Each structure stands twice: as C-alpha cells, then as structure tokens.
Amino acid sequence: MKIALDAMGHDRGPAPLVAGAALALKEFSEISKLFLTGDTARLEAELAKIGCNDRRIEIVHATQVVEMGDDAAHAVRRKKDSSVSRAVDLVKLGAAEAIVSAGHTGACVTAAKVKLRTLPGIDRPGIAATMPTEKNLFVLIDAGANPDPTPQHMLTNALMGSVYSRHVLGYADPSVGLMSIGTEDEKGNDFSRQSFELLKASGLSFRGNIEGHDLFENPVEVVVADGFTGNVVLKTSEAIAGAIFGWLKHEILKSPIRKLGALLAKGAFNAIRKKTSSDEYGGMPLLGVNGVCIIAHGGAPPIAIKNAIRMAVESVRHQVNPHIVEAVQRYHEQSAPRSSAT
Amino acid sequence: MKIALDAMGHDRGPAPLVAGAALALKEFSEISKLFLTGDTARLEAELAKIGCNDRRIEIVHATQVVEMGDDAAHAVRRKKDSSVSRAVDLVKLGAAEAIVSAGHTGACVTAAKVKLRTLPGIDRPGIAATMPTEKNLFVLIDAGANPDPTPQHMLTNALMGSVYSRHVLGYADPSVGLMSIGTEDEKGNDFSRQSFELLKASGLSFRGNIEGHDLFENPVEVVVADGFTGNVVLKTSEAIAGAIFGWLKHEILKSPIRKLGALLAKGAFNAIRKKTSSDEYGGMPLLGVNGVCIIAHGGAPPIAIKNAIRMAVESVRHQVNPHIVEAVQRYHEQSAPRSSAT
C-alpha cells in the first residue's frame, strides 16, 4: 500500500510528521511506500536526526507550504508546489492510494476536492470524526470541511456518515441524529429545521434532533452537523477532556494522600485519558472525495500522526467510496418520484 | 427582595422547583417574597409534602404550562395563563424584581422580550453562561436565546457580555473572543466573518477568533457565539464532563485497589466535579431585557434551582442593566461618525 504524507503541514514543522512516519513504518508492514512531500533537505535532515533510513520512504520535493493564515482556495490556486498539493497530486496520478495531512484543513479539503473531484452525487465532502461514548463510538460529520453548507449537504453528510458507520464501525443500521439545541422536532435554527425535513424524508434511521447533553449519554451512531458547529463540538469536547485531567492533576498534587490515591487508581485514569484523547484516533477521513484523504490535527504528536497513517491504511482497505456512491444513488432513486410530485 | 419562580416549568414537574424554593428561602434572608406561579393545588401539595410553610411564599395561580414541544412565540401568545407568563407579569407589574424559570427557554425568552421589552439599543436578548477555566471564569454569550442572530446581535452580545464580566465577575478590561473554527482572522463561516468585522471595530478588547481548544486553556473573558453554537458548546461541555466522571467511576469499580485509590483522592474528584457541574451556577441571566430574568436548566435538581434563585438575588443587587444601556449608547456615539462616513 502506498501512502502520501504532507510532511510540512504541521503547527511545529516537519519533525513530528517525520517521527510519526517512522513509527508507522515500524508498525504497518502493509505499507510498501510512504511518500513524504516537502523540502528535501529539511526532510532528509529530520530523518537523519531520528536515524530513520527505511527504504520505503520516498521524498517528493515541494518548495512551498500552506500557512495556517492562508486562504484555502487561494493557497491551492497559487501555491501549486505546496507539500499538501504535491501529496494530493500523488493520489491523483495513481502513485499513492491515500493522503494524510495535518496541515491547513481548508487547503487540504480544497486540494482534494479540486484535484480528486467529489464522488458522483456529492457536491461537498465532509470530515468524519469518530468520538467515544461509554461503550461505543459515534461519527460526527461534518467536523469542519464545509462551514457554510446547504441543507442538501447535510443530507449527503448523513448518507456518508451512515455508510462509514456501517462499513467501518460495523453498526448494522446506524441511527442518525441532527445536532441541535433541543430534542423536540421544532427546536433549532432556520437552517437546522430545513435540514431536519430533508433528513426525515431520507430513508435513513433518523432519530431527530440530538443536543449536547445526549451526545455521550443517549447517543446515536451518526451525528450530522454543519462544519462550523461540528468543528466547535469536536474541539470543545477535546478541550474540556484535557482541561478536566489537568485540573484533577492540580487538585491531586495538593496532598500526599491524594497523590497516593491517584497512584493506586492510575489504571482507571489512563484508560479514560486514552479513551478521550484525539491522539488515539489520530485522523479523520474526508468523505466524499474520489480517493482516500485523512485529516490529522495541526498539533498532532508523532503517535497521532502514526495513528492517522494507520487510519489511511484501514480506509484504503475498507474502500467505503463505492458504498457512498451506491447510497447516494439509492437515495436519489427513492426520492425521485417524491421530488417530482412536490 | 421579591422573586418570581415559574413553579411549573421543569422536565419533572413542580417538585424540584418547590424543593429548590424552600432551600433558597432557608439560605437567603434578603428574599422578602417568593412568588410561585402555577397550579395552586399542586404547589400547595408539594409544599406540604416537604413541610415548607415559609410565610414569604405566595402562590400565584396559573392554569397553563408551556410544554417543551410548544412553539415559543405561539405559546406566549396563546397560553396567556401559563406559569412562565404569570411569573414575567409579576416583574412587569413591579410586584417582583426577578424571574427564575427552568422551563421552555424559548418561551421564557419570548415572554420576557414581549412583556418586559428589551433595553434601549438592544434588539435581541442573549443568555450569559458562566463557565470555568483552571483559575477563572468566562462568560459565554449567547447560550441559546437567539439561534438565528444577525452580526449586529453578536455585537450587542459582546457589549452585554463585557458589561457582565466587568460588573459581576470583576474583570477590569475583559477580553472578547469570537467562537470560531480556527484562530486566524479569516477562519470561520460567512456569518462569523461578518460578525468579526463588527467586533473588530467595536472598541472592545477584541482578541479575535477563539476555537474550542482555547476555551479552557488560552481563554478570553467573554466568548461571543450565535445562540445555536453557544447552546451546543454549553451542553456539550456539560455532557463530556459528566461522561468523563461516569467513565472514570466505571473504570475505578473494576478493582479494589483502584477503589481504595479513588477513596483517598476523593477530595480532588469532588472539587473538579463541583467545578464542572452546572448545578453550581444554577442559572444564566438573560441579558438585554428590561428586568432580571434567570434561565435554569430544564432538568435542574433542587440545589441548582436554589442556586438559580441565588443568581437572581445577586443580579438584582448588581443592577447591570443601566451599565448595559450605557455601554450600548457609548458604542453608538463612538461608531456614529465612522458609520456615516462609510
């Protein structure tokens, strides 16, 4: 399997990316080639620094980097030799099967959309984030690819999220909820109410509105949100989890008895810390583009980059795209007579 | 001080409200009158059940209840004898100085807006939720009063949140952030970018966009959000905090050693649990209406109702409304020459 890693797109430069790449190569023997796109001299220096000379690494030189402050569309048009564009090009040309990027999310989404195109019936891709509940996982889609969607985009996100939930997470008939501010049908804003109507008529197992309180306690398998709200939910959840562990640590350090207690209960802490850490998931698939594209956090440590590469490997294996095309086609066939009647 | 409690608006009926009222009367001697609006027979029965015969309680009969599934505007127009409408009427007539409601948020917001009117220069009120960081507190506004705001509403929310932060939480020059999906100026969606421009020119200490990751780690004192996003942030934060403690408990119960450890570190757990519990704050002021109106959670236990009543007492004492009027006026004076020039 051949993977292309945008080896420059990271808040802290290429070092965590190169370190993550090395970890991934040690662990995943199915990777036959790992392209690192970026500045050859810098990447070679990083590889030398960690003593990695794995023959499966191939550096593809790119002279530019999309900065976090760049406008996404502008960056893709103007910085043709950026590390993220070069990584997407490798998939476009068939040299690689998947892209992994921890860089500017908007630029990666735009590059993938423009260069790989979207799947038939999909106008805009959506980022699928996997989040934990007590015993299961749910998919939050869209976690930030499309901050200004139409209700129709919300519908295709629901279809894509359901396919992902079924074929990757293994839920037979995933339930779908619409992120809102109350569980009653009429709660929400104008946009969410329009989306609600489309989801209700979608043929999916639509459970109606879901509010923040229900996400972890009375969850559905697929949570549909606009990319703005979804991104806020994802980052806020990660932030509060991190904050709680930080605050607990601070309180525990206040007394030796508490310290002893925390030591004895360490296994429990570590299990939940791991469960709530985004590093474990490492990456989020961008669903709806004609290829495999994994979005990682901009500040991801090497272990999270490794896990994002693992997700790329798994996504290539799962091949959800044909199932997405089929689900969208089926939806249009079912709803065609209804649409023409209204 | 005279307070009106909507004594029927609660997910579990009047019992937790009446119990919370009794707790509040025990604790706050400055309350000279606590009106309970709702069905007299039911409220008398609840009071008898808990043996409360405090002479400061006065039941104001109301025959109707706004149900969670009711449309807000419709409910206020049609259910004129609802417990929430009667409570707001008491403030309108000058019999009470503040309303507390744990019922249908939209109905309470609408009743307050229609009956009390908004303050001069304020078109729509906003709910101010107080949230904890490691060492401080910040105000999230709007936490759900107005799910379809205009950028101008976002600006008045920022002004109101700053006044609240200054006069109630005691921050001398509160910094303001706009809830978004990245920290760079151009990140967000069309609506947030329009709001950004207004906030930038507001004369407030505007720190730009703030994303979920920064809320608790690199916080500002006032976070401005549309009522949809704000409500999602509030409920998701509460949900993940609750979920983490639930998961930890589950992990701890797996071994006797862990149980012992948790017992020794109990003080630390309890401190953070308390810090992250919405019951501690109990209520959120609805800023921008001509009166004091405190919104409590629909599922609030008696202790949270008591704390919501405490917040009503404090809000009456703080009298932030004149400061809000002044801040809005000052903004218009400052921006008037600029506006007419553009």
Coordinates of all heavy atoms in Angstrom, one line a residue, chain A residues 151-234:
Chain A
P151 N -28.7 22.7 3.3 CA -29.4 21.5 3.8 C -29.1 20.2 3.0 O -29.0 19.1 3.6 CB -30.9 21.9 3.8 CG -30.9 23.4 4.0 CD -29.6 23.8 3.2
Q152 N -28.9 20.4 1.7 CA -28.6 19.3 0.9 C -27.3 18.7 1.2 O -27.1 17.4 1.2 CB -28.7 19.7 -0.6 CG -28.6 18.6 -1.6 CD -29.8 17.6 -1.6 OE1 -30.9 18.1 -1.3 NE2 -29.6 16.3 -1.8
H153 N -26.3 19.5 1.6 CA -25.0 19.0 2.0 C -25.2 18.2 3.3 O -24.4 17.2 3.6 CB -24.0 20.1 2.2 CG -23.7 20.9 1.0 ND1 -23.4 22.3 1.0 CD2 -23.7 20.6 -0.3 CE1 -23.1 22.7 -0.2 NE2 -23.3 21.7 -1.0
M154 N -26.1 18.7 4.2 CA -26.3 18.0 5.5 C -26.8 16.6 5.2 O -26.5 15.6 5.8 CB -27.3 18.8 6.3 CG -26.8 20.1 6.7 SD -25.5 20.1 8.0 CE -26.6 20.1 9.4
L155 N -27.7 16.5 4.2 CA -28.2 15.2 3.8 C -27.2 14.3 3.3 O -27.1 13.1 3.7 CB -29.3 15.4 2.7 CG -29.8 14.0 2.2 CD1 -30.8 13.4 3.1 CD2 -30.5 14.2 0.8
T156 N -26.3 14.7 2.4 CA -25.2 13.8 1.9 C -24.3 13.5 3.0 O -23.7 12.4 3.0 CB -24.5 14.4 0.6 OG1 -24.1 15.8 0.9 CG2 -25.4 14.4 -0.6
N157 N -24.0 14.4 3.9 CA -23.2 14.1 5.1 C -23.8 12.9 5.9 O -23.1 12.0 6.4 CB -23.0 15.3 6.0 CG -22.0 16.2 5.5 OD1 -21.1 15.8 4.7 ND2 -22.0 17.5 5.9
A158 N -25.2 13.0 6.0 CA -25.8 11.9 6.8 C -25.7 10.6 6.0 O -25.4 9.5 6.7 CB -27.3 12.3 6.9
L159 N -25.8 10.6 4.7 CA -25.7 9.4 3.9 C -24.3 8.8 4.1 O -24.0 7.7 4.3 CB -26.0 9.7 2.4 CG -27.5 10.0 2.1 CD1 -27.6 10.5 0.7 CD2 -28.4 8.8 2.3
M160 N -23.3 9.7 3.9 CA -21.9 9.3 4.0 C -21.5 8.8 5.4 O -20.8 7.8 5.6 CB -20.9 10.5 3.6 CG -21.1 10.9 2.2 SD -19.7 12.0 1.6 CE -20.0 13.5 2.5
G161 N -22.0 9.5 6.4 CA -21.8 9.1 7.8 C -22.3 7.7 8.1 O -21.7 6.9 8.8
S162 N -23.5 7.5 7.5 CA -24.2 6.2 7.8 C -23.4 5.1 7.1 O -23.2 4.0 7.7 CB -25.6 6.2 7.2 OG -26.4 7.1 7.9
V163 N -22.9 5.3 5.9 CA -22.1 4.3 5.2 C -20.8 4.0 6.0 O -20.5 2.9 6.2 CB -21.7 4.8 3.8 CG1 -20.6 4.0 3.2 CG2 -22.9 4.8 2.9
Y164 N -20.2 5.1 6.5 CA -19.0 4.9 7.3 C -19.3 4.1 8.6 O -18.5 3.2 8.9 CB -18.4 6.3 7.6 CG -17.0 6.2 8.2 CD1 -15.9 6.1 7.4 CD2 -16.9 6.3 9.6 CE1 -14.7 6.0 8.0 CE2 -15.6 6.3 10.2 CZ -14.5 6.1 9.4 OH -13.3 6.1 9.9
S165 N -20.4 4.5 9.2 CA -20.7 3.8 10.5 C -21.0 2.3 10.2 O -20.6 1.5 11.0 CB -22.0 4.5 11.1 OG -22.3 3.8 12.2
R166 N -21.6 2.0 9.1 CA -22.0 0.6 8.8 C -20.7 -0.1 8.4 O -20.4 -1.2 8.9 CB -23.0 0.6 7.7 CG -23.5 -0.8 7.4 CD -24.6 -0.8 6.3 NE -25.8 -0.1 6.7 CZ -26.3 1.0 6.2 NH1 -25.7 1.5 5.1 NH2 -27.4 1.6 6.6
H167 N -20.0 0.4 7.4 CA -18.9 -0.4 6.8 C -17.6 -0.3 7.5 O -16.7 -1.2 7.4 CB -18.7 0.0 5.3 CG -19.9 -0.4 4.5 ND1 -20.0 -1.6 4.0 CD2 -21.0 0.3 4.1 CE1 -21.1 -1.7 3.3 NE2 -21.7 -0.5 3.4
V168 N -17.3 0.7 8.3 CA -16.1 0.8 9.1 C -16.3 0.5 10.5 O -15.5 -0.3 11.1 CB -15.4 2.2 8.9 CG1 -14.1 2.3 9.6 CG2 -15.2 2.4 7.4
L169 N -17.3 1.1 11.2 CA -17.5 0.8 12.6 C -18.4 -0.4 12.9 O -18.4 -0.9 14.0 CB -18.1 2.1 13.3 CG -17.3 3.4 13.1 CD1 -17.9 4.5 13.9 CD2 -15.8 3.2 13.7
G170 N -19.1 -0.9 11.8 CA -19.8 -2.1 12.0 C -21.2 -2.1 12.6 O -21.7 -3.1 13.0
Y171 N -21.8 -0.9 12.5 CA -23.2 -0.8 13.0 C -24.1 -1.2 11.9 O -24.1 -0.7 10.8 CB -23.5 0.6 13.5 CG -22.8 1.0 14.7 CD1 -21.7 1.9 14.7 CD2 -23.2 0.6 16.0 CE1 -21.0 2.2 15.8 CE2 -22.6 0.9 17.1 CZ -21.5 1.8 17.0 OH -20.8 2.1 18.2
A172 N -25.0 -2.2 12.2 CA -25.9 -2.7 11.1 C -26.8 -1.7 10.5 O -26.9 -1.5 9.3 CB -26.7 -3.9 11.6
D173 N -27.5 -0.9 11.4 CA -28.5 0.1 10.9 C -28.3 1.3 11.7 O -29.0 1.6 12.6 CB -29.9 -0.5 11.1 CG -30.9 0.5 10.5 OD1 -30.6 1.3 9.6 OD2 -32.1 0.5 11.0
P174 N -27.2 2.1 11.4 CA -26.9 3.2 12.3 C -28.0 4.3 12.4 O -28.6 4.6 11.4 CB -25.6 3.8 11.6 CG -25.6 3.2 10.2 CD -26.3 1.9 10.3
S175 N -28.2 4.7 13.6 CA -29.2 5.7 13.8 C -28.5 7.1 13.6 O -27.3 7.2 13.8 CB -29.8 5.7 15.2 OG -28.7 5.8 16.2
V176 N -29.3 8.0 13.1 CA -28.8 9.4 12.7 C -29.5 10.4 13.5 O -30.7 10.4 13.7 CB -29.0 9.6 11.2 CG1 -28.6 11.0 10.8 CG2 -28.3 8.6 10.4
G177 N -28.7 11.3 14.1 CA -29.3 12.5 14.8 C -28.8 13.8 14.2 O -27.7 13.8 13.6
L178 N -29.6 14.8 14.3 CA -29.2 16.1 13.8 C -28.7 17.0 15.0 O -29.5 17.2 15.9 CB -30.3 16.8 13.1 CG -30.1 18.2 12.6 CD1 -29.0 18.3 11.6 CD2 -31.4 18.8 12.0
M179 N -27.5 17.5 15.0 CA -27.0 18.3 16.1 C -27.9 19.6 16.2 O -28.1 20.3 15.2 CB -25.6 18.8 15.8 CG -24.8 19.4 16.9 SD -24.2 18.1 18.1 CE -24.9 18.8 19.6
S180 N -28.5 19.7 17.4 CA -29.4 20.9 17.6 C -29.4 21.3 19.0 O -28.5 20.9 19.8 CB -30.8 20.6 17.1 OG -31.6 21.7 17.0
I181 N -30.3 22.2 19.4 CA -30.3 22.8 20.7 C -31.5 22.4 21.6 O -31.9 23.1 22.5 CB -30.2 24.3 20.6 CG1 -31.4 24.9 19.8 CG2 -28.9 24.7 19.9 CD1 -31.4 26.4 19.8
G182 N -32.1 21.2 21.2 CA -33.2 20.7 22.0 C -33.6 19.4 21.2 O -33.3 19.3 20.0
T183 N -34.3 18.5 21.9 CA -34.6 17.3 21.2 C -35.9 17.3 20.4 O -36.2 16.5 19.5 CB -34.7 16.1 22.2 OG1 -35.6 16.5 23.3 CG2 -33.3 15.8 22.8
E184 N -36.8 18.3 20.7 CA -38.1 18.4 20.0 C -37.8 18.8 18.6 O -36.9 19.5 18.3 CB -39.0 19.4 20.7 CG -39.3 19.0 22.2 CD -38.2 19.4 23.2 OE1 -37.3 20.1 22.8 OE2 -38.3 19.0 24.3
D185 N -38.7 18.3 17.7 CA -38.6 18.5 16.3 C -38.4 20.0 15.9 O -37.6 20.3 14.9 CB -39.8 17.9 15.5 CG -39.9 16.4 15.6 OD1 -39.0 15.8 16.3 OD2 -40.8 15.9 14.9
E186 N -39.1 20.9 16.5 CA -39.1 22.3 16.1 C -37.9 23.1 16.7 O -37.7 24.2 16.3 CB -40.4 22.9 16.3 CG -40.8 23.1 17.8 CD -41.1 21.8 18.4 OE1 -41.5 20.8 17.7 OE2 -41.0 21.7 19.6
K187 N -37.1 22.4 17.6 CA -36.0 23.2 18.2 C -34.9 23.3 17.1 O -34.7 22.5 16.2 CB -35.5 22.4 19.4 CG -36.4 22.4 20.6 CD -36.4 23.7 21.3 CE -37.5 23.9 22.4 NZ -37.3 23.0 23.5
G188 N -34.1 24.4 17.3 CA -33.0 24.6 16.4 C -33.0 26.0 15.8 O -33.6 27.0 16.4
N189 N -32.4 26.2 14.7 CA -32.5 27.5 13.9 C -33.0 27.2 12.5 O -33.4 26.1 12.2 CB -31.1 28.2 13.9 CG -30.0 27.4 13.3 OD1 -30.3 26.4 12.6 ND2 -28.8 27.8 13.4
D190 N -33.2 28.3 11.8 CA -33.8 28.1 10.5 C -33.1 27.0 9.6 O -33.8 26.2 9.0 CB -33.8 29.4 9.7 CG -34.7 30.5 10.4 OD1 -35.5 30.1 11.2 OD2 -34.5 31.7 10.0
F191 N -31.8 27.1 9.7 CA -31.0 26.1 8.9 C -31.2 24.7 9.3 O -31.4 23.8 8.5 CB -29.5 26.5 8.9 CG -28.6 25.5 8.2 CD1 -28.6 25.5 6.9 CD2 -27.9 24.6 9.0 CE1 -27.8 24.5 6.2 CE2 -27.1 23.7 8.4 CZ -27.1 23.6 7.0
S192 N -31.2 24.5 10.7 CA -31.3 23.1 11.2 C -32.7 22.6 10.9 O -32.9 21.4 10.6 CB -30.9 23.0 12.6 OG -31.9 23.5 13.5
R193 N -33.7 23.4 10.9 CA -35.1 23.0 10.7 C -35.2 22.5 9.2 O -35.9 21.6 8.9 CB -36.1 24.0 11.1 CG -36.4 24.0 12.6 CD -37.5 24.9 13.0 NE -37.1 26.3 12.8 CZ -36.6 27.1 13.8 NH1 -36.5 26.6 15.0 NH2 -36.2 28.3 13.6
Q194 N -34.6 23.3 8.3 CA -34.6 22.9 6.9 C -33.9 21.5 6.7 O -34.4 20.6 6.0 CB -33.9 23.9 6.0 CG -34.7 25.2 5.9 CD -33.9 26.3 5.2 OE1 -33.0 26.0 4.3 NE2 -34.1 27.5 5.6
S195 N -32.8 21.4 7.4 CA -32.0 20.1 7.3 C -32.8 19.0 7.9 O -32.8 17.8 7.3 CB -30.7 20.2 8.0 OG -30.0 21.4 7.6
F196 N -33.5 19.3 9.0 CA -34.4 18.3 9.6 C -35.4 17.6 8.6 O -35.5 16.4 8.6 CB -35.1 18.9 10.8 CG -35.9 18.0 11.7 CD1 -35.4 17.6 12.9 CD2 -37.1 17.5 11.3 CE1 -36.1 16.7 13.7 CE2 -37.9 16.7 12.1 CZ -37.4 16.3 13.3
E197 N -36.0 18.5 7.9 CA -37.0 18.0 6.9 C -36.4 17.0 5.9 O -37.0 16.0 5.6 CB -37.7 19.1 6.2 CG -38.6 20.0 7.2 CD -39.6 19.1 8.0 OE1 -40.2 18.2 7.4 OE2 -39.7 19.4 9.2
L198 N -35.2 17.4 5.4 CA -34.6 16.5 4.4 C -34.2 15.2 5.0 O -34.3 14.1 4.4 CB -33.3 17.2 3.8 CG -33.5 18.3 2.8 CD1 -32.2 18.8 2.3 CD2 -34.3 17.7 1.6
L199 N -33.7 15.2 6.3 CA -33.2 14.0 6.9 C -34.4 13.1 7.3 O -34.3 11.9 7.2 CB -32.4 14.3 8.2 CG -31.1 15.0 8.0 CD1 -30.5 15.5 9.3 CD2 -30.1 14.1 7.3
K200 N -35.5 13.7 7.6 CA -36.7 13.0 8.0 C -37.2 12.2 6.8 O -37.7 11.0 6.9 CB -37.8 14.0 8.4 CG -38.9 13.4 9.3 CD -39.7 14.6 9.8 CE -41.2 14.2 9.8 NZ -42.0 15.4 10.2
A201 N -37.0 12.7 5.6 CA -37.5 12.1 4.4 C -36.4 11.2 3.7 O -36.6 10.8 2.5 CB -38.0 13.1 3.4
S202 N -35.3 11.0 4.4 CA -34.1 10.5 3.7 C -34.1 8.9 3.6 O -33.4 8.4 2.8 CB -32.9 10.8 4.5 OG -32.9 10.2 5.8
G203 N -35.0 8.3 4.4 CA -34.9 6.8 4.4 C -33.9 6.3 5.4 O -33.8 5.1 5.6
L204 N -33.1 7.2 6.0 CA -32.1 6.7 7.0 C -32.9 6.5 8.3 O -34.0 6.9 8.5 CB -31.1 7.8 7.2 CG -30.1 8.1 6.0 CD1 -29.4 9.4 6.1 CD2 -29.2 6.9 5.8
S205 N -32.2 5.9 9.3 CA -32.8 5.7 10.6 C -32.7 7.0 11.4 O -31.9 7.1 12.3 CB -32.1 4.6 11.3 OG -32.3 3.4 10.7
F206 N -33.5 8.0 11.0 CA -33.3 9.3 11.6 C -34.0 9.4 12.9 O -35.2 9.2 13.0 CB -33.9 10.4 10.6 CG -33.7 11.8 11.1 CD1 -32.5 12.3 11.5 CD2 -34.8 12.7 11.1 CE1 -32.3 13.6 11.9 CE2 -34.7 14.0 11.5 CZ -33.4 14.4 11.9
R207 N -33.3 9.7 14.0 CA -33.8 9.8 15.3 C -34.2 11.2 15.7 O -34.6 11.5 16.8 CB -32.8 9.3 16.3 CG -32.7 7.8 16.4 CD -33.2 7.2 17.7 NE -32.6 7.9 18.9 CZ -31.5 7.5 19.6 NH1 -31.0 6.3 19.3 NH2 -31.0 8.2 20.5
G208 N -34.1 12.2 14.8 CA -34.4 13.6 15.1 C -33.3 14.4 15.6 O -32.1 14.0 15.4
N209 N -33.6 15.4 16.3 CA -32.6 16.3 16.9 C -31.9 15.6 18.1 O -32.5 14.9 18.8 CB -33.2 17.6 17.4 CG -33.7 18.5 16.3 OD1 -33.0 18.6 15.2 ND2 -34.7 19.3 16.5
I210 N -30.6 15.9 18.2 CA -29.8 15.5 19.3 C -29.1 16.7 19.9 O -28.7 17.6 19.1 CB -28.8 14.4 18.9 CG1 -28.1 13.9 20.2 CG2 -27.9 14.8 17.8 CD1 -27.3 12.6 19.9
E211 N -29.1 16.9 21.2 CA -28.5 18.0 21.8 C -27.2 17.6 22.5 O -27.0 16.4 22.7 CB -29.4 18.8 22.7 CG -30.0 18.0 23.8 CD -30.8 18.9 24.8 OE1 -30.8 20.1 24.6 OE2 -31.4 18.4 25.7
G212 N -26.4 18.6 22.9 CA -25.1 18.3 23.5 C -25.2 17.3 24.7 O -24.4 16.4 24.8
H213 N -26.3 17.4 25.5 CA -26.4 16.5 26.7 C -26.5 15.1 26.3 O -26.2 14.2 27.0 CB -27.7 16.9 27.5 CG -27.5 18.2 28.2 ND1 -28.6 19.0 28.5 CD2 -26.4 18.8 28.8 CE1 -28.1 20.1 29.2 NE2 -26.8 19.9 29.3
D214 N -27.1 14.8 25.1 CA -27.3 13.4 24.7 C -26.1 12.8 24.0 O -26.1 11.6 23.8 CB -28.5 13.4 23.7 CG -29.8 13.9 24.3 OD1 -30.0 13.6 25.5 OD2 -30.5 14.5 23.6
L215 N -25.2 13.6 23.5 CA -24.1 13.1 22.7 C -23.4 11.8 23.3 O -23.1 10.9 22.6 CB -23.0 14.1 22.4 CG -23.3 15.2 21.4 CD1 -22.2 16.2 21.4 CD2 -23.5 14.6 20.0
F216 N -23.2 11.9 24.6 CA -22.5 10.8 25.2 C -23.4 9.9 26.1 O -22.9 8.8 26.5 CB -21.3 11.4 26.1 CG -20.5 12.3 25.3 CD1 -20.7 13.7 25.4 CD2 -19.5 11.8 24.4 CE1 -19.9 14.6 24.6 CE2 -18.8 12.7 23.6 CZ -19.0 14.1 23.7
E217 N -24.6 10.4 26.4 CA -25.4 9.6 27.3 C -26.6 8.9 26.6 O -27.1 7.9 27.1 CB -25.9 10.5 28.4 CG -24.9 10.8 29.5 CD -25.3 11.8 30.4 OE1 -26.5 12.0 30.7 OE2 -24.4 12.6 30.9
N218 N -27.1 9.5 25.5 CA -28.2 8.9 24.8 C -27.9 9.0 23.4 O -28.6 9.6 22.6 CB -29.5 9.7 25.2 CG -30.7 9.1 24.6 OD1 -30.7 7.9 24.2 ND2 -31.7 9.9 24.3
P219 N -26.7 8.4 23.0 CA -26.2 8.7 21.7 C -26.8 8.0 20.5 O -27.5 7.0 20.6 CB -24.7 8.2 21.8 CG -24.8 7.1 22.8 CD -25.9 7.4 23.7
V220 N -26.6 8.6 19.3 CA -26.9 8.0 18.1 C -25.6 7.6 17.4 O -24.5 7.9 17.9 CB -27.7 8.9 17.1 CG1 -29.1 9.3 17.7 CG2 -26.9 10.2 16.9
E221 N -25.7 6.8 16.4 CA -24.4 6.4 15.8 C -23.8 7.4 14.8 O -22.6 7.4 14.5 CB -24.6 5.0 15.0 CG -24.5 3.8 16.0 CD -25.8 3.4 16.6 OE1 -26.8 3.4 15.8 OE2 -25.9 3.1 17.8
V222 N -24.7 8.2 14.3 CA -24.2 9.3 13.3 C -24.8 10.6 13.8 O -26.0 10.8 13.9 CB -24.6 9.0 11.9 CG1 -24.1 10.1 10.9 CG2 -24.1 7.6 11.4
V223 N -23.9 11.6 14.0 CA -24.4 12.9 14.4 C -24.0 13.9 13.2 O -22.9 14.0 12.8 CB -23.7 13.5 15.7 CG1 -24.1 14.9 15.9 CG2 -24.1 12.6 16.9
V224 N -25.1 14.5 12.6 CA -24.9 15.3 11.5 C -24.9 16.8 12.0 O -25.8 17.2 12.7 CB -26.0 15.1 10.5 CG1 -25.8 16.0 9.2 CG2 -26.1 13.7 10.0
A225 N -23.9 17.5 11.6 CA -23.7 18.9 11.9 C -23.2 19.7 10.8 O -22.5 19.1 9.9 CB -22.8 19.1 13.1
D226 N -23.4 21.0 10.7 CA -22.7 21.8 9.7 C -21.3 21.9 10.2 O -21.0 21.6 11.4 CB -23.3 23.2 9.7 CG -23.2 24.0 11.0 OD1 -24.0 23.8 11.9 OD2 -22.2 24.7 11.1
G227 N -20.4 22.1 9.2 CA -18.9 22.1 9.5 C -18.5 23.0 10.6 O -17.5 22.8 11.3
F228 N -19.2 24.1 10.8 CA -18.8 25.1 11.8 C -19.2 24.5 13.2 O -18.3 24.4 14.0 CB -19.6 26.4 11.6 CG -19.2 27.5 12.5 CD1 -18.2 28.4 12.1 CD2 -19.8 27.8 13.7 CE1 -17.8 29.4 12.9 CE2 -19.5 28.8 14.5 CZ -18.4 29.6 14.1
T229 N -20.4 24.1 13.4 CA -20.8 23.5 14.6 C -20.1 22.3 14.9 O -19.6 22.0 16.1 CB -22.4 23.3 14.6 OG1 -23.0 24.5 14.2 CG2 -22.9 22.8 16.0
G230 N -19.9 21.4 13.9 CA -19.2 20.2 14.1 C -17.8 20.4 14.6 O -17.3 19.7 15.5
N231 N -17.1 21.3 14.0 CA -15.7 21.6 14.4 C -15.7 22.1 15.9 O -14.8 21.8 16.6 CB -15.1 22.6 13.5 CG -13.6 22.8 13.6 OD1 -13.2 23.6 14.4 ND2 -12.8 22.0 13.0
V232 N -16.7 23.0 16.2 CA -16.7 23.5 17.6 C -17.0 22.4 18.6 O -16.3 22.3 19.6 CB -17.8 24.6 17.6 CG1 -18.1 25.0 19.1 CG2 -17.4 25.9 16.9
V233 N -17.9 21.5 18.2 CA -18.2 20.3 19.1 C -16.9 19.5 19.3 O -16.6 19.1 20.4 CB -19.3 19.5 18.5 CG1 -19.4 18.1 19.2 CG2 -20.6 20.2 18.6
L234 N -16.3 19.2 18.2 CA -15.1 18.3 18.3 C -14.0 19.0 19.2 O -13.5 18.3 20.1 CB -14.5 18.1 16.9 CG -13.2 17.3 16.8 CD1 -13.5 15.8 17.1 CD2 -12.6 17.4 15.4

